[in-house]
Amino acid sequence: MSDPTTLALPADLPLLALRSTIVFPGGRIAVQVASGENLSLLASHPEEGALVVCLLDPEDRDGAPLRADGRIGVVARLTDRGRRDGGMAQVTLVGLSRVRAVSASRDEVAGYSFARVEAVDEVVRDAASAKLLMHRVVLAADARVEVDTAFPAELPALLRREVSRPSRFADLAAARGALRPAEKDEAVQRLDVIARLEFLAERWEREAAKARVHEEVRQETERRVDRHHREFFLRQQLQAIKSELGEADLGEGETVDLLRRIEEAELPEHIAAEARREIDRLRALSTASSEHQVLRNYVEWILTLPWRKRSGDGKITLEKVESALDGRHYGLNEAKERILEYLAVRQLRGDRGSDPHGPILCFVGPPGTGKTSLGEAIAASIGRAFYRISVGGVRDEAEIRGHRRTYVGSLPGLLLQAMRRVQVNDPVLMIDEIDKMTSGGPSGDPTAAMLEVLDPTQNNAFTDHYLNLPFDLSGVLFICTANNLFDIPHALRDRLEVIRIAGYTVEEKVEIAWRYLLPRLFDEHGITDLDLQFTDESLSVVANRYAREAGLRTFERHIAALMRKRAKRKAEGEAGAWIVDQARIEEVLGPPRWAPEAAEQEPEVGTVTGLAWTANGGELMTIEALLMPGTGKLIVTGQLGDVMRESVDAASSYVRSRAKALRVADPEMRSSDLHVHFPAGSVPKDGPSAGVAVTLAIASVMSRRPVRRDVAVTGEVTLRGRVLEIGGVKEKVLAAYRAGLRSVVLPAANEKDLRDIPAEVRAAVTFRCVSTMEDVIEAMLLPPRPNGFAEDLPLFDEVSRSAADVARPATGGADAPADRAAKPAS
């Protein structure tokens, strides 16, 4: 233990700031001095053995005076001075004792700082504890020597010689124990020797544990490397021995098998050449190499794709196709006719060899209308394999074109995966939900990749990113399905032959149930028609009051629910037959979702029944208008798009311009607010085809004349009152028919579209085709009665069309503009 009382210490000592190391009492270190303050100090005290006090210089001082603040420093002698290049000086510090630096001040003239110091005592509180802690430090030093080559190997022996002096033991361990400068300074600051030894013991034991873990990891790594080297050496020796014996190497059998399969597969010449090149690379690789498996998988993909294999006969026979379509689908006459025309062209021009560069079929219609099953029927009728690829929600171009082989776990895209599964190069591939592909994004545009796939002039050399080889898709019969045609990008839509499937009427659903649904569902539920007996009336109730959507899925689910209930009762032992009537249906299915006639038929002021087109088919759309005291404002609600809001503005302007004809006083318009509302406010709506209905609702509320509710209206209106053509006529008329309405007002330009409506609907519904709003107002607005009810009037001047009249093309009418049918509410 150093004894500061043996030294004659002056009150003030020059202050030497050390950065990278620190001197301990009884220690001796050589330091290089480069800072201006320290160089000035050495120049001012050139004598040998000059005394200084050493403190650790904090790294964040940034030129500020060094603060003492009662820190513990070490008094040291300056010896063995020398000069080095670059203006630095070298000096040896001999540590003498610990002191407390009470304060520090800078002498601006001398250029360095002085510290006021006072002597301190180092105490050993418990000799037994000190001995135990020194033992721990020595053991930790022995452990670090074994696992850490940077640790001084001689230090444990030096420490054992100092066990009689605990303070000197601790200082020696801290000075030479591979500690950072801050950790050494922390040991200097501890005057309690026990605390100093505890700090060193904990620190060294933690470092010994870390070094032991690092050593174990290093040894395990060396063992693995040695094992790999040994395996490589043995494999080379084994290969040399087999070569001497004339035997093939380990991978030769695999490569010979792959080459044999290439010859048997009869690949195109350029494909076979690429496969052989990859096999040559495979032969040069070790089977333990990661690239070996990548190349092996690539060659396997080449060998398993159907480059030249076609379906058996595959000849298109129109009679067989027509029989298959009629056997699986009721109605859809227009769609069947278009399919037969399309296949007839392929038959006449030759479906083999050079395929005709015709468009790709695309079935567009609401869910549950049989789009997918139509594709299956086509494949079965022409004897080809059928495979469905669902692309709904596809966001990445790589899902169509595949990932490049540089990616881990890469695979070809959906197209080549489908070709591998069907094992022929001329299947019927159905691209399902093509309108729900996500276009654009950071991973590429999958709809752009589809342009090459569905273009008959390009897909004869479709290149997948994984294979990077051209694959001929021209023999594939592609069929796409979509719910909304206008969600498909225009460039892709231009390549498609669109076949619209509008939906089914109640009568068609009943007939489909008798022909297809009931036999299949009876078989699936383990009961017969003797257990559950349906009638036309009961099926009509289910279709009309529980499943009024355009497709069949909800209708089928409700019938299946009735059958499940009967199957449960039969399994419980109930005998006899159930007669399905209104009471039985409500018992099983609950209250009807729709009223017997969903459309309200009582004339009202300011309320009009319009028609809307959606991706799920046509729907009724009620439009309400309300007049109230105000300042002439127009309020529009119902979550409308910009186009529909503009239609409301145009309708309001038109009605105000005809106020005199409607007997509306101008002061009344100025002192009243008009509120137009479209119910079902959570559903977005847009499109111009509600213009007629909105104009009618505003005219009704401003003139206080009721509107017929037994008639549905649709059409776009201009500021001059002209009624313009709209789209989605078939879907809208079927929606009105399903709702029980038997009168519809249409634009005159849409008279040509009546031929697309099923014959039974045309026979039941009366159509009035109008060209101006005056015609609509004359037909739809009723004169008010004193009691507030509309006067009973005969139906408006009917324009009834026979089937022959409707089928005759109208002259002067343009096709429905695509942008008018693109919005959900038009």
Side-chain angles (χ1 to χ4, degrees):
M1 179 172 62
S2 301
D3 186 3
T5 61
T6 62
L7 293 175
L9 294 177
D12 295 322
L13 285 175
L15 180 58
L16 183 67
L18 301 177
R19 279 189 176 272
S20 59
T21 186
I22 196 165
V23 64
F24 283 86
R28 182 185 184 93
I29 61 171
V31 297
Q32 293 179 0
V33 178
S35 67
E37 286 189 27
N38 291 342
L39 290 174
S40 299
L41 187 154
L42 295 180
S44 300
H45 298 275
E47 67 275 11
E48 187 74 9
L51 296 179
V52 296
V53 60
C54 300
L55 289 177
L56 184 68
D57 189 6
E59 296 181 357
D60 57 352
R61 184 159 65 98
D62 295 332
L66 183 64
R67 299 174 62 88
D69 297 335
R71 293 171 58 198
I72 303 301
V74 176
V75 176
R77 293 188 186 278
L78 302 178
T79 62
D80 299 338
R81 304 180 187 222
R83 291 300 253 177
R84 298 179 64 89
D85 296 336
M88 292 193 305
Q90 180 170 314
V91 64
T92 300
L93 300 176
V94 179
L96 301 178
S97 64
R98 284 177 170 82
V99 295
R100 186 183 305 276
V102 179
S103 61
S105 60
R106 178 178 174 83
D107 187 341
E108 298 296 339
V109 177
Y112 59 91
S113 299
F114 285 86
R116 184 168 294 275
V117 300
E118 61 182 23
V120 295
D121 292 328
E122 301 181 44
V123 297
V124 180
R125 292 181 281 108
D126 186 355
S129 299
K131 185 175 181 180
L132 180 61
L133 288 170
M134 287 188 288
H135 181 65
R136 285 175 55 189
V137 171
V138 170
L139 292 179
D142 290 334
R144 293 189 66 180
V145 167
E146 293 179 2
V147 296
D148 189 355
T149 57
F151 193 81
E154 71 281 1
L155 185 56
L158 295 176
L159 292 176
R160 287 186 174 90
R161 289 204 294 265
E162 299 292 344
V163 293
S164 60
R165 297 188 294 171
S167 179
R168 176 58 187 158
F169 179 96
D171 289 343
L172 179 62
R176 306 193 59 180
L179 297 177
R180 292 190 294 271
E183 294 172 331
K184 291 182 178 180
D185 184 60
E186 188 171 353
V188 169
Q189 301 300 317
R190 297 175 185 264
L191 297 177
D192 188 340
V193 178
I194 300 297
R196 199 183 314 161
L197 289 171
E198 287 178 346
F199 167 74
L200 291 171
E202 292 175 0
R203 178 68 179 149
W204 280 19
E205 287 171 350
R206 185 165 62 249
E207 290 296 327
K210 289 169 58 177
R212 191 177 299 110
V213 172
H214 291 164
E215 179 64 16
E216 291 175 357
V217 172
R218 184 189 65 79
Q219 292 178 358
E220 178 63 23
T221 303
E222 288 182 354
R223 282 196 296 269
R224 292 182 179 179
V225 172
D226 292 342
R227 184 169 64 251
H228 289 161
H229 287 171
R230 182 172 178 274
E231 289 179 359
F232 176 78
F233 180 71
L234 291 176
R235 289 182 185 278
Q236 294 298 318
Q237 282 187 324
L238 182 60
Q239 186 173 356
I241 293 172
K242 286 184 174 289
S243 179
E244 290 292 332
L245 295 175
E247 298 178 2
D249 61 7
L250 292 177
E252 189 65 25
E254 180 183 41
T255 56
V256 169
D257 179 65
L258 292 175
L259 290 171
R260 177 185 56 79
R261 291 172 60 187
I262 289 176
E263 300 302 325
E264 294 175 352
E266 299 181 356
L267 303 176
E269 186 54 38
H270 63 288
I271 304 298
E274 179 67 18
R276 294 190 189 97
R277 190 179 70 85
E278 295 295 335
I279 290 177
D280 289 341
R281 292 182 57 199
L282 186 67
R283 181 179 294 163
L285 294 174
S286 169
T287 55
S289 170
S290 59
E291 190 178 358
H292 180 277
Q293 190 59 39
V294 174
L295 283 177
R296 183 74 168 79
N297 291 339
Y298 177 77
V299 175
E300 282 290 343
W301 269 100
I302 293 178
L303 291 173
T304 53
L305 284 173
W307 298 93
R308 290 180 173 173
K309 185 178 180 182
R310 290 182 172 267
S311 303
D313 178 351
K315 183 179 180 181
I316 297 176
T317 306
L318 294 184
E319 293 80 6
K320 186 176 179 182
V321 175
E322 186 173 7
S323 175
L325 293 176
D326 291 338
R328 299 185 61 172
H329 297 84
Y330 176 77
L332 304 180
N333 295 326
E334 180 190 1
K336 292 177 182 177
E337 184 65 22
R338 295 282 295 277
I339 292 171
L340 291 173
E341 292 170 359
Y342 176 82
L343 295 178
V345 172
R346 294 182 71 100
Q347 178 187 13
L348 293 176
R349 294 195 59 181
D351 191 55
R352 296 294 183 182
S354 60
D355 287 289
H357 292 166
I360 307 297
L361 289 180
C362 181
F363 299 146
V364 178
T369 52
K371 300 184 294 295
T372 303
S373 58
L374 274 175
E376 294 175 349
I378 293 173
S381 63
I382 62 178
R384 294 201 190 182
F386 176 82
Y387 192 83
R388 186 181 70 88
I389 302 174
S390 178
V391 295
V394 169
R395 295 175 175 271
D396 191 350
E397 179 191 9
E399 295 190 51
I400 305 299
R401 290 187 179 273
H403 294 84
R404 302 188 188 276
R405 278 192 288 165
T406 53
Y407 292 94
V408 176
S410 57
L411 283 173
L414 293 173
L415 272 299
L416 289 194
Q417 291 182 36
M419 301 302 290
R420 184 185 187 182
R421 289 188 175 96
V422 297
Q423 281 300 298
V424 289
N425 64 359
D426 59 347
V428 175
L429 287 188
M430 174 160 282
I431 312 297
D432 208 8
E433 310 289 355
I434 195 172
D435 58 324
K436 296 177 179 60
M437 294 179 69
T438 303
S439 59
S443 301
D445 190 347
T447 59
M450 274 294 177
L451 294 178
E452 180 184 0
V453 174
L454 298 181
D455 191 339
T457 63
Q458 301 180 41
N459 61 13
N460 60 343
F462 172 72
T463 303
D464 186 273
H465 287 162
Y466 179 81
L467 283 186
N468 201 28
L469 297 171
F471 189 89
D472 187 2
L473 295 176
S474 61
V476 178
L477 176 56
F478 287 102
I479 300 176
C480 302
T481 70
N483 297 133
N484 186 359
L485 180 65
F486 301 99
D487 285 339
I488 305 174
H490 178 74
L492 186 56
R493 190 166 68 238
D494 187 56
R495 289 162 166 77
L496 304 177
E497 174 75 16
V498 177
I499 298 178
R500 295 184 180 273
I501 302 174
Y504 299 103
T505 64
V506 173
E507 292 79 5
E508 288 175 330
K509 289 182 179 180
V510 171
E511 189 63 30
I512 291 171
W514 285 118
R515 292 192 183 191
Y516 309 107
L517 296 182
L518 291 179
R520 176 169 58 83
L521 291 175
F522 276 133
D523 182 63
E524 291 177 357
H525 290 82
I527 59 177
T528 67
D529 54 0
L530 299 178
D531 299 307
L532 193 65
Q533 297 179 3
F534 289 90
T535 63
D536 286 346
E537 291 75 14
S538 61
L539 292 173
S540 297
V541 168
V542 175
N544 194 37
R545 303 190 62 185
Y546 291 88
R548 195 172 281 177
E549 82 288 350
L552 293 169
R553 291 199 179 108
T554 305
F555 181 57
E556 181 180 350
R557 280 197 296 270
H558 287 317
I559 295 176
L562 290 165
M563 292 190 178
R564 286 195 302 273
K565 181 67 71 173
R566 180 66 188 101
K568 177 176 178 291
R569 297 286 179 83
K570 183 177 180 180
E572 292 173 349
E574 181 179 326
W578 277 15
I579 305 298
V580 180
D581 53 12
Q582 179 76 29
R584 182 72 71 181
I585 292 173
E586 293 190 9
E587 175 191 349
V588 177
L589 302 182
R593 179 183 176 188
W594 308 94
E597 298 294 341
E600 300 177 18
Q601 306 263 345
E602 186 67 30
E604 293 184 47
V605 174
T607 305
V608 178
T609 302
L611 295 172
W613 179 93
T614 71
N616 294 327
E619 291 183 1
L620 295 187
M621 179 174 62
T622 301
I623 300 169
E624 302 172 342
L626 185 66
L627 199 65
M628 52 193 171
T631 59
K633 291 191 302 183
L634 175 62
I635 304 170
V636 184
T637 55
Q639 198 172 346
L640 309 183
D642 294 337
V643 176
M644 186 169 279
R645 286 185 176 273
E646 292 173 359
S647 296
V648 176
D649 293 338
S652 176
S653 299
Y654 170 79
V655 173
R656 293 185 66 180
S657 70
R658 298 294 189 272
K660 185 175 180 180
L662 294 172
R663 299 178 183 179
V664 180
D666 185 70
E668 183 181 5
M669 290 190 295
R670 294 183 180 180
S671 62
S672 302
D673 287 347
L674 181 63
H675 188 165
V676 180
H677 178 63
F678 295 77
S682 63
V683 179
K685 312 171 190 69
D686 204 358
S689 68
V692 169
V694 174
T695 306
L696 199 56
I698 296 175
S700 169
V701 74
M702 295 185 71
S703 65
R704 295 177 175 80
R705 295 170 61 184
V707 183
R708 286 189 178 275
R709 300 298 310 283
D710 58 342
V711 183
V713 297
T714 184
E716 181 181 356
V717 176
T718 68
L719 283 174
R720 297 176 298 147
R722 301 283 296 174
V723 179
L724 302 183
E725 181 182 10
I726 47 88
V729 171
K730 182 178 181 181
E731 290 84 354
K732 294 176 180 179
V733 171
L734 287 178
Y737 179 78
R738 287 194 295 266
L741 298 179
R742 295 299 179 261
S743 299
V744 178
V745 173
L746 295 173
N750 286 111
E751 186 177 352
K752 66 185 187 310
D753 297 317
L754 298 179
R755 61 189 297 178
D756 298 332
I757 299 171
E760 65 272 14
V761 178
R762 292 201 306 265
V765 177
T766 302
F767 301 96
R768 175 153 187 174
C769 299
V770 296
S771 56
T772 64
M773 271 307 302
E774 285 82 357
D775 298 336
V776 179
I777 292 174
E778 178 185 353
M780 297 295 295
L781 287 186
L782 305 177
R785 293 179 59 180
N787 59 3
F789 292 97
E791 182 179 337
D792 293 332
L793 292 179
L795 187 63
F796 57 66
D797 186 18
E798 298 179 354
V799 183
S800 302
R801 308 285 180 181
S802 65
D805 293 336
V806 172
R808 184 176 63 252
T811 59
D815 291 338
D819 58 340
R820 302 192 197 283
K823 301 299 184 179
S826 53

